[in-house]
């Protein structure tokens, strides 16, 4: 009966447990899904048919709707309660020696002791929250891949954005896809080939543009992040927030 929801009985940040809080997503699932496992199996079968392949030279991605709207709504609400975003120096990055404010809010969660370093900031993983564990496990079920870390980005509206980059840090396991789950406002997402950027670009390769929907999962498979940069451009007409979770596998001291 309960298979859609997290089986964890951990405490939330404020010390309460699942039972005390009756998380919204748990109630939603009970109301909507009293067929239990049968319904989940049916859902997973439908889900497995919905993958779309996105391919270009050196780019290999898969896209699907992982969570139906009601469940995605519940997960979004739960994350708004659970996630504690970084403050102070951790909200700044260094690019070519210059310091910038990150134009969005960020948090990092993962297995104990993991650290992720990018653009001059070193971010230590906070413990998994129940909802993040639930989403991580749903991604693992859907992809067969396991993850030990998640970077959480919260865009308050279309002014918040993420500049072009490649997630090619040395500590990322090159064999593991980066799994990007989106909740909230639909936003454009753009891939540009490394060699087709800038005034003196060497080649003319068309960008690949996607819309990342509420409840969607985008898998960036190897070697996408070797050859292509991606960004979440500002979109002034977007007035509502979005949360993005990128699940990753970090190799600590060369170990998986
Ligand atoms: O918000 C997004 O969809 C982009 C996230 C991203 O590229 C990242 O976290 O590295
Ligand atoms: Fe990225």
């Amino acid at each position: 009966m309960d298979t859609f929801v997290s089986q964890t009985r951990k405490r939330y940040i404020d010390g309460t447990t699942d039972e005390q809080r009756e998380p919204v997503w748990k109630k939603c699932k009970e109301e909507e899904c009293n067929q239990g496992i049968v319904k989940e199996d049916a859902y997973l079968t439908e889900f497995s048919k919905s993958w779309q392949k996105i391919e270009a030279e050196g780019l290999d991605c898969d896209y699907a709707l992982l969570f139906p709207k009601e469940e995605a709504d519940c997960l979004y609400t739960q994350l708004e309660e659970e996630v504690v975003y970084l403050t102070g120096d951790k909200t700044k990055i260094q690019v070519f020696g210059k310091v910038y404010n990150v134009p969005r809010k960020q948090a990092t969660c993962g297995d104990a002791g993991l650290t992720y370093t990018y653009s001059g900031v070193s971010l230590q993983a906070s413990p998994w929250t129940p909802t993040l564990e639930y989403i991580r496990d749903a991604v693992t079920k859907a992809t067969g891949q396991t993850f030990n870390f998640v970077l959480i980005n919260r865009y308050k509206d279309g002014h918040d954005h993420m500049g072009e980059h490649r997630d090619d840090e040395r500590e990322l396991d090159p064999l593991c896809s980066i799994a990007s789950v989106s909740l909230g406002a639909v936003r454009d997402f753009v891939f540009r080939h490394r060699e087709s950027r800038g005034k003196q670009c060497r080649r003319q390769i068309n960008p690949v543009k996607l819309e990342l929907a509420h409840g969607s999962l985008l898998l960036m498979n190897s070697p996408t992040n070797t050859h292509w940069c991606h960004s979440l451009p500002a979109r002034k007409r977007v007035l509502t927030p979005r949360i993005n979770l990128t699940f990753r596998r970090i190799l600590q001291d060369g170990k998986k």
Side-chain angles (χ1 to χ4, degrees):
M1 158 70 228
D2 216 6
T3 44
F4 252 114
V5 303
S6 169
Q7 299 296 318
T8 53
R9 290 290 177 267
K10 294 213 172 108
R11 281 181 186 277
Y12 289 80
I13 288 154
D14 64 2
T16 56
T17 59
D18 276 351
E19 286 82 354
Q20 285 162 329
R21 289 178 34 142
E22 281 277 293
V24 207
W25 45 262
K26 190 171 172 191
K27 276 197 266 168
C28 286
K29 276 297 129 202
E30 279 168 5
E31 278 156 25
E32 180 203 306
C33 164
N34 47 22
Q35 299 299 313
I37 288 167
V38 176
K39 177 123 181 230
E40 180 180 11
D41 284 351
Y43 179 69
L44 282 177
T45 309
E46 273 316 298
F47 169 77
S48 64
K49 289 189 229 152
S50 78
W51 283 113
Q52 285 173 42
K53 195 78 185 158
I54 300 158
E55 279 174 311
E57 181 189 313
L59 182 144
D60 176 352
C61 293
D62 297 284
Y63 177 84
L65 278 179
L66 178 58
F67 300 112
K69 183 184 177 312
E70 294 73 17
E71 189 176 24
D73 289 349
C74 295
L75 293 169
Y76 177 89
T77 307
Q78 240 359 91
L79 289 177
E80 287 289 62
E81 286 187 32
E82 279 176 25
V83 176
V84 178
Y85 290 94
L86 298 165
T87 54
D89 283 351
K90 302 279 180 209
T91 63
K92 299 181 194 309
I93 49 166
Q94 262 197 50
V95 185
F96 298 119
K98 267 185 91 174
V99 178
Y100 297 90
N101 285 326
V102 175
R104 59 191 177 274
K105 289 206 287 188
Q106 291 193 305
T108 44
C109 292
D111 294 356
L114 287 181
T115 304
Y116 181 55
T117 306
Y118 83 105
S119 302
V121 254
S122 231
L123 304 173
Q124 277 195 328
S126 299
W128 293 99
T129 71
T131 306
L132 289 170
E133 276 182 325
Y134 172 71
I135 300 173
R136 178 200 64 197
D137 293 348
V139 174
T140 291
K141 237 180 194 174
T143 64
Q145 302 201 48
T146 55
F147 306 89
N148 59 10
F149 186 87
V150 63
L151 174 64
I152 303 140
N153 281 288
R154 184 183 189 279
Y155 306 85
K156 67 177 181 324
D157 57 27
H159 292 267
D160 280 0
H161 60 278
M162 187 179 288
E164 266 193 342
H165 66 283
R166 291 180 298 134
D167 293 294
D168 64 341
E169 287 78 16
R170 279 209 356 243
E171 68 251 52
L172 288 175
D173 183 342
L175 299 176
C176 183
S177 305
I178 293 183
S180 166
V181 173
S182 295
L183 296 164
V186 177
R187 291 286 296 261
D188 294 340
F189 187 82
V190 182
F191 284 104
R192 278 212 300 158
H193 195 282
R194 280 177 82 182
E195 293 176 2
S196 69
R197 296 161 70 219
K199 285 200 188 97
Q200 297 183 346
C201 67
R202 288 200 275 150
R203 301 181 57 196
Q204 287 284 330
I205 302 174
N206 287 338
V208 175
K209 297 184 183 176
L210 312 174
E211 270 192 344
L212 300 182
H214 182 44
S216 68
L217 168 61
L218 173 70
L219 280 182
M220 290 182 258
N221 308 316
S222 170
T224 305
N225 276 315
T226 307
H227 305 294
W228 293 73
C229 298
H230 56 267
S231 65
L232 190 94
R235 292 286 182 257
K236 304 285 150 64
R237 68 188 144 75
V238 176
L239 304 176
T240 52
R242 166 177 182 269
I243 298 174
N244 176 262
L245 312 171
T246 44
F247 292 92
R248 298 148 190 259
R249 190 150 72 224
I250 291 187
L251 305 171
Q252 202 78 323
D253 308 322
K255 284 182 285 190
K256 284 191 193 174

